Each structure stands twice: as C-alpha cells, then as structure tokens.
Amino acid sequence: MITDVDGTYSIDAKPDDKLVFSYIGMENQTIEIKNKTRIDVVMAEKTDELEEVTVVAFGKQKKESVISSIETVRVDNLRVPSSNLTTSFAGRLAGMISYQTSGEPGQDNADFFIRGVASFGTGKVNPLILIDNIEMSANDLSRLHPDDIASFSILKDATATALYGARAANGVILVTTKEGREGNIKVSFRIENAFSSPTKKIKMADPILYMKIANEAAKTRNPLASDIYSLEKIENTILGTNPMVYPATDWMDMLFKNMTMNQKVNLNISGGGKVAQY
C-alpha cells in the first residue's frame, strides 16, 4: 500500500506480523508490530547506489550535476579470465588506450593512457591511481581482484582532475573497495574456471633444417664465410649419435601446452554493527 501526501497510513495486521517500508532511493526498513498501534518511520537515504552517483575528489555527486568527463565502469565489465586487472582495460573503457607488451609472469602489466599523454619529458606519464583515496602504483592496481571493488571511475578532462593538481594531468583512476555495512552477516562465494589455448600454433623449423638454412644465409651474405654449423654436427644430429652432444630438442613442445586451465575462487564475508564493520 502507499501512504497519503502527509505520510499517514492505516493497515490491518496481526501482532506477529512485520511491516516492510520501502521507497525509491531509500533504505528498506522491516519493523515488527508486536503490541504497537502506532508506528512512525523515518526513511534513510541509500548510500551504496553507485549507478546513480559519481565518485569525485570531494565525495560523491549525482550524475546529473556533474558536467566534467567522468566514466563510472561496471565492475562486471572488469572480470576477465586473467589474474591481472590492467589487461581488462583494452576495448572496455572509453577514452583509455591500453596495450600489453609482455606475457612474462610478474611483468605482464598493460600500459594504459587516458586520452593520450599530456606530460612531456622524463616525468610520469601514467594516470594518477587512487585506491581508497591513497595513491598506488600500476602494480598495486593490476593485482586488485574485481570482486573486491565497489566502484571504478575514470576522470578524463581538466575539470574532473583539477582538484588533484598537476599530478593528474594524465587523468585519474579512482577505485573504491568494498567495505562492511551494519547489519547481518553476508556470505558470497564465486568459483570460475577458464580454459586457454593458442589461437594458432606456429610451425617451427626443426634443428636440422635450421642449421642448414643458417649456413646458407651466412654464405649468401659472404661467400667466403665459414659454416656456422659444421657438416659433422648436422650429420650426427640427423643420426642421433649422441643426444647430449648433438641435441635436437623441440622446445615449443617441451615448454608449451596445447591448452591450460585457470581456476579462481572468491569467498567474501561482510557485516558489522554500530561500532565496527568488517
């Protein structure tokens, strides 16, 4: 039912019933009737509706009141089958240029720029990264798990970044992590399996063909040059005389799998009371 203009209402209910009060933009409240004949409720605004507010330097503002270029990204769009958060930026965030130069474990961070580079010289050209209002590096951001993020915003233009000073000339990335809220304990569990395989397997030359072609290439550049690999080495490699002395190792087959599996498990417990949240 709906109250009148003054907020008064009347409803028939039993003493063991519960009343649920709700309104758009307000927190739901559940109140037990017991022996009460009059129940007055003061609604409280929702503070966690991130889709309707934008995180800025001095708190939060309604999207309608923000005229600068700020993009709030849905956390679901950042979930990719990778342990590195920065690899999920490419093609998902408007105005952000992202590229990955290495897949080496521990060195696989993607380099990213917001609307290009606005600084010159040898100074910092990467965006200012703030996680819970504390400046962090790209390494800290790359290892942040998407399930721990409550909101993710990108400040792009001069109006949005003015409050951060010159350090924000190349844009600002604002990340707010999840925090506990007053109420009952909440437990969430998510498990994810991902399968990865090369899109195309490159056919490599075998060691014998490689040695022959290397000798031919050396002769092409300098007809008087000596062979890089001796005829004895090539013939013994073909015969397999001594694999320790004349090896013919297929390194691609030894080092790489045709397919691999990635598994991620996330357990989240939150809650709290009036004194502390967890």
Side-chain angles (χ1 to χ4, degrees), residues 99-110:
Y99 58 92
Q100 189 176 9
T101 57
S102 172
E104 180 184 350
Q107 302 294 329
D108 56 346
N109 292 350

Side-chain angles (χ1 to χ4, degrees), residues 29-268:
Q29 294 194 38
T30 302
I31 298 178
E32 296 181 357
I33 296 177
K34 296 183 179 179
N35 296 322
K36 300 175 185 176
T37 57
R38 178 187 177 94
I39 298 177
D40 296 329
V41 177
V42 177
M43 305 296 288
E45 285 188 1
K46 281 187 177 180
T47 57
D48 57 346
E49 286 190 350
L50 296 173
E51 293 181 359
E52 295 185 4
V53 298
T54 300
V55 180
V56 292
F58 40 83
K60 295 178 181 178
Q61 284 186 337
K62 291 289 183 181
K63 277 189 176 180
E64 295 81 5
S65 63
V66 177
I67 60 173
S68 54
S69 183
I70 300 175
E71 181 179 3
T72 300
V73 184
R74 292 180 60 86
V75 179
D76 291 343
N77 295 337
L78 300 176
R79 290 196 176 103
V80 295
S82 171
S83 60
N84 194 322
L85 181 64
T86 61
T87 59
S88 64
F89 294 163
R92 288 179 171 85
L93 309 180
M96 179 175 283
I97 302 169
S98 175
Y99 58 92
Q100 189 176 9
T101 57
S102 172
E104 180 184 350
Q107 302 294 329
D108 56 346
N109 292 350
D111 293 321
F112 48 90
F113 308 103
I114 298 175
R115 288 190 174 180
V117 179
S119 298
F120 298 95
T122 58
K124 291 186 177 181
V125 297
N126 55 304
L128 174 64
I129 301 171
L130 296 175
I131 301 177
D132 290 333
N133 293 321
I134 299 174
E135 183 174 357
M136 297 288 188
S137 66
N139 286 331
D140 297 316
L141 178 64
S142 67
R143 301 308 169 195
L144 193 62
H145 199 285
D147 286 328
D148 295 331
I149 299 175
S151 69
F152 190 100
S153 301
I154 300 174
L155 282 58
K156 303 177 184 178
D157 62 6
T159 308
T161 61
L163 290 167
Y164 295 101
R167 179 64 184 86
N170 295 301
V172 182
I173 295 177
L174 294 179
V175 181
T176 304
T177 58
K178 291 180 180 177
E179 59 182 14
R181 298 189 180 277
E182 184 178 345
N184 296 331
I185 183 173
K186 294 181 181 180
V187 180
S188 62
F189 179 79
R190 190 169 71 89
I191 184 170
E192 176 183 306
N193 279 308
F195 296 91
S196 301
S197 63
T199 53
K200 184 178 181 180
K201 193 173 181 179
I202 301 172
K203 187 176 181 180
M204 306 293 290
D206 60 80
I208 298 164
L209 178 60
Y210 176 84
M211 288 188 288
K212 290 180 178 180
I213 297 298
N215 286 344
E216 183 179 332
K219 292 289 186 182
T220 302
R221 289 171 174 79
N222 182 6
L224 301 177
S226 58
D227 291 337
I228 299 175
Y229 299 98
S230 65
L231 184 62
E232 177 190 2
K233 181 177 177 63
I234 295 175
E235 289 179 349
N236 281 300
T237 303
I238 295 173
L239 297 173
T241 305
N242 187 342
M244 300 299 291
V245 179
Y246 307 104
T249 306
D250 186 345
W251 291 107
M252 289 288 289
D253 182 64
M254 179 174 287
L255 296 177
F256 296 96
K257 297 180 180 179
N258 293 328
M259 184 189 70
T260 187
M261 186 182 73
N262 230 335
Q263 187 177 75
K264 290 193 289 186
V265 179
N266 182 268
L267 175 64
N268 199 321

Side-chain angles (χ1 to χ4, degrees), residues 9-42:
Y9 67 96
S10 176
I11 186 171
D12 295 328
K14 299 177 182 178
D16 56 347
D17 287 344
K18 295 180 181 179
L19 295 181
V20 179
F21 298 85
S22 63
Y23 191 74
I24 298 174
M26 301 291 181
E27 295 279 1
N28 292 352
Q29 294 194 38
T30 302
I31 298 178
E32 296 181 357
I33 296 177
K34 296 183 179 179
N35 296 322
K36 300 175 185 176
T37 57
R38 178 187 177 94
I39 298 177
D40 296 329
V41 177
V42 177

